[in-house]
Amino acid sequence: MSAANSPRTARKGTTEAAWVRRTLIGIALTFMALFLVLPLAAVFTEALRKGFEAYWEALKDPDAWSAIRLTLLTAAIAVPLNLVFGVAAAWAVAKYEFRGKSFLTTLIDLPFSVSPVVAGLIYVLVFGAQGWLGPWLAEHDIKIVFAVPGIILATIFVTFPFIARELIPLMQAQGNDEEQAAIVLGASGWQTFWHVTLPNIKWGLIYGVILCNARAMGEFGAVSVVSGHIRGQTNTMPLHVEILYNEYQSVAAFAVASLLALLALVTLVIKSVAEWQMERELKALAELPPERPTSANPTLLGQTS
């Protein structure tokens, strides 16, 4: 091996100086320590400032349990609905050409450009007592605003772009060749989706679900407008933290906040595992011989033959 082609020479020619790398790494680590690790440590420190017993008592409070249950219920309803919508919207945008496609893409991005507070006000305008549908809802004793349905609707609105936006570029990059081949071989639409499309998008789908769930549990602005802040009924965990902090119950506020932080950390771990598994699978596929088919095709061929 010549000196020009040696690994050391190539490394020197394609990377920055050592002091540049160390400086950039130091800046990144300092930024993470100041704006991520330190605030997170402060939350847990304040939550446990009066001991674990006070921490547990704050979490055992009936209002806290109500907020926890409502947060989990909202996420449990909003995430599956956004999962269905995200897959359907991504399939339509990535696989078909139709009139109104640009308009649909704009609607998907709308929650990213509209303030969550404005979104909450829109729901109040439509479903509130003085809103467009308010009198009709009152006549039929249906409560949307200042009740659980309004919280769920507001959460769905602010979270529905996450799954679709993860899947659209992924599906567009993959194209339609595999689906068309499956249909030519005799596969039905559902068989094509379950055995060709879904395996190809599963990691993007999991990533989108994780982001959607994290936003659903931590949403504050839109939920704050439509909830009415009724203790024990319409307060989610972020709203409960705000109320406790405004009442100078700092230990209880940080205790509930630490639970939210723990949920965020669990979400981060799941996201990291999903990314690691995706990279591992892509690496294994890259090492396959070119003539070797993927694992999805034999399954499909076996079912359609």
Side-chain angles (χ1 to χ4, degrees):
M1 180 181 293
S2 64
N5 296 327
S6 64
R8 180 174 298 179
T9 304
R11 184 176 181 182
K12 286 183 178 180
T14 57
T15 60
E16 297 82 3
W19 70 269
V20 175
R21 297 196 303 272
R22 294 192 185 98
T23 301
L24 293 176
I25 293 173
I27 293 173
L29 292 177
T30 302
F31 185 88
M32 290 182 61
L34 289 177
F35 297 101
L36 181 63
V37 178
L38 189 60
L40 192 62
V43 168
F44 287 97
T45 301
E46 286 294 321
L48 297 171
R49 182 162 52 88
K50 294 185 178 180
F52 185 79
E53 184 176 352
Y55 176 86
W56 182 243
E57 287 297 325
L59 295 181
K60 285 171 57 179
D61 182 74
D63 291 339
W65 271 110
S66 175
I68 294 170
R69 287 195 301 269
L70 181 56
T71 301
L72 297 178
L73 174 65
T74 302
I77 295 175
V79 173
L81 291 177
N82 281 323
L83 172 63
V84 175
F85 168 81
V87 173
W91 183 292
V93 172
K95 304 295 184 180
Y96 300 100
E97 293 295 332
F98 55 91
R99 295 180 63 182
K101 180 177 177 178
S102 299
F103 182 66
L104 175 60
T105 305
T106 302
L107 289 180
I108 292 173
D109 292 334
L110 185 63
F112 286 145
S113 58
V114 175
S115 168
V117 175
V118 174
L121 289 174
I122 292 173
Y123 280 102
V124 173
L125 177 64
V126 175
F127 300 110
Q130 306 300 323
W132 297 342
L133 302 179
W136 183 88
L137 293 172
E139 289 177 4
H140 294 80
D141 196 25
I142 300 175
K143 295 182 179 180
I144 302 294
V145 177
F146 307 146
V148 175
I151 295 173
I152 295 174
L153 288 174
T155 304
I156 291 173
F157 177 83
V158 299
T159 57
F160 80 75
F162 288 93
I163 296 177
R165 265 299 160 201
E166 287 294 325
L167 295 182
I168 288 174
L170 182 60
M171 286 184 172
Q172 287 176 335
Q174 291 172 352
N176 300 328
D177 294 342
E178 293 187 16
E179 284 87 353
Q180 292 175 354
I183 292 173
V184 169
L185 291 172
S188 65
W190 278 112
Q191 286 177 324
T192 302
F193 174 77
W194 286 109
H195 298 288
V196 178
T197 304
L198 190 59
N200 288 336
I201 66 171
K202 62 180 180 180
W203 294 117
L205 185 61
I206 292 173
Y207 190 75
V209 168
I210 291 171
L211 293 178
C212 180
N213 182 69
R215 177 64 187 273
M217 290 191 298
E219 174 55 30
F220 179 85
V223 172
S224 177
V225 175
V226 302
S227 70
H229 295 268
I230 305 173
R231 272 189 161 178
Q233 297 182 32
T234 62
N235 272 344
T236 59
M237 292 172 67
L239 301 183
H240 189 61
V241 170
E242 182 199 27
I243 289 176
L244 292 175
Y245 190 77
N246 289 337
E247 293 178 349
Y248 302 102
Q249 301 182 45
S250 59
V251 173
F254 280 103
V256 179
S258 70
L259 187 58
L260 267 176
L262 285 174
L263 292 174
L265 290 175
V266 170
T267 302
L268 181 62
V269 170
I270 296 174
K271 170 180 170 291
S272 300
V273 171
E275 289 178 340
W276 173 78
Q277 189 66 28
M278 179 179 65
E279 292 176 359
R280 182 180 177 184
E281 184 172 304
L282 291 176
K283 184 178 179 181
L285 289 174
E287 293 175 353
L288 291 176
E291 66 276 6
R292 181 173 178 180
T294 61
S295 58
N297 291 335
T299 304
L300 185 62
L301 290 172
Q303 292 197 4
T304 57
S305 60

